[in-house]
Amino acid sequence: MEKREQLYAGKAKSVFTTDDPDHLILLFRNDTSAFDGKKLDQLDRKGMVNNKFNAFIMEKLQAAGIPTHFVKRLSDNESLVKRMEMMPIECVVRNLAAGGLCRRLGVEEGIELNPPTFELFLKNDALGDPMINESYVETFGWAKPEQLAKAKELTFAVNTVLKQLFADAGILLVDYKLEFGVFKDEVILGDEFSPDGCRLWDAATRKKLDKDRFRQGLGDVVEAYEEVGKRLGINFDA
Ligand code: C5P
């Protein structure tokens, strides 16, 4: 697979075309951002750690029957993915209260959410990724109703698989954000799953092991990501 020109550069990843129109290469960079790009930094090893973390999780999800855009890891920082038409929305599931939910509703951090909540946000940096709902998605044509229904079903299917995977490693899956796209008429999971886009707490101590370490200036960001990965059995030296 030959890497061609850069199609897009996001805040932490860049996307390249290849000689195959159905495939793209994702480059995981060390850039880290929070608060809609207002806080920026470069963290050594983060691109490599997230690329390997994402490859491990995507393979687990595929093995559980959840379709994803992930094809294979190409190098320390690059992975091959299917080229989809992305839906400009973010799907968030929360098992425990944290972050935006606590700010919006004034609920206490850490309370269990039963059943888990499902939220939608518009991917739009200029607007600060506003919260939206299913009616908005249909009215503004961001996805067809049946595509959104599939994305929601897959978002909860991911919860079933990953809550258990992390629980087995002594980690609570607090919440996470997923993005979906359409590939040959099928809704499939896109983007990445890494500690940049979810909250993970040590089950015993509730120590934060995710991007909140960066957002809140707690330090040891990549060290925490690697700790989670090692507990899952990921070998970052391979
Ligand atoms: O900020 P909030 O509490 O709404 O985030 C919920 C979850 O979605 C968190 O795990 C956060 O890391 C993730 N998220 C994300 N990208 C965004 C917004 C939220 O990965 N643009």
Side-chain angles (χ1 to χ4, degrees):
M1 191 70 56
E2 194 187 305
K3 192 168 161 186
R4 296 250 167 106
E5 76 270 18
Q6 182 173 294
L7 195 64
Y8 171 79
K11 292 191 282 282
K13 295 192 295 298
S14 303
V15 183
F16 294 84
T17 57
T18 66
D19 52 351
D20 173 351
D22 281 340
H23 289 93
L24 297 172
I25 291 174
L26 292 186
L27 169 69
F28 288 73
R29 308 194 313 267
N30 288 341
D31 299 303
T32 308
S33 79
F35 312 120
D36 294 319
K38 288 186 210 63
K39 178 169 177 165
L40 297 168
D41 208 346
Q42 284 260 325
L43 300 176
D44 271 359
R45 291 169 63 81
K46 198 200 68 146
M48 178 276 290
V49 167
N50 276 3
N51 187 35
K52 292 182 181 174
F53 197 109
N54 176 63
F56 178 87
I57 297 286
M58 289 286 173
E59 279 170 1
K60 290 284 181 200
L61 295 176
Q62 281 186 171
I66 296 166
T68 84
H69 70 156
F70 180 78
V71 179
K72 62 176 177 180
R73 189 163 68 78
L74 297 173
S75 66
D76 271 5
N77 290 68
E78 291 170 314
S79 286
L80 186 68
V81 298
K82 292 174 183 162
R83 182 174 192 162
M84 308 179 291
E85 201 63 55
M86 289 301 291
M87 302 177 187
I89 57 179
E90 300 183 335
C91 297
V92 171
V93 160
R94 299 177 194 269
N95 295 306
L96 298 167
L101 184 88
C102 297
R103 283 196 298 279
R104 239 183 338 272
L105 302 182
V107 298
E108 191 189 334
E109 185 178 80
I111 62 163
E112 197 189 336
L113 303 169
N114 190 16
T117 59
F118 178 78
E119 296 163 3
L120 289 166
F121 298 87
L122 179 66
K123 263 180 83 72
N124 185 319
D125 281 341
L127 297 177
D129 294 346
M131 195 174 191
I132 54 171
N133 61 33
E134 300 186 23
S135 151
Y136 285 21
V137 174
E138 185 174 0
T139 296
F140 294 105
W142 293 320
K144 294 187 190 132
E146 63 274 16
Q147 292 172 334
L148 180 61
K150 188 70 193 177
K152 183 174 178 179
E153 179 195 317
L154 292 174
T155 301
F156 278 110
V158 166
N159 202 31
T160 305
V161 177
L162 295 190
K163 230 169 44 174
Q164 189 61 51
L165 184 82
F166 285 113
D168 291 344
I171 293 165
L172 295 168
L173 177 59
V174 175
D175 57 31
Y176 56 92
K177 180 265 299 180
L178 301 180
E179 296 180 25
F180 292 88
V182 180
F183 181 76
K184 299 191 192 295
D185 291 331
E186 189 192 9
V187 174
I188 63 175
L189 178 62
D191 192 46
E192 68 177 279
F193 192 103
S194 75
D196 268 1
C198 64
R199 289 192 173 91
L200 301 165
W201 295 349
D202 180 89
T205 63
R206 298 213 162 192
K207 180 182 171 189
K208 296 180 200 298
L209 300 169
D210 53 68
K211 199 159 93 174
D212 273 348
R213 299 202 68 80
F214 176 70
R215 293 189 188 97
Q216 299 174 7
L218 301 173
D220 292 337
V221 179
V222 180
E223 290 77 0
Y225 291 17
E226 279 193 86
E227 184 189 330
V228 174
K230 281 181 194 154
R231 284 207 228 168
L232 292 173
I234 301 171
N235 180 0
F236 291 110
D237 300 320

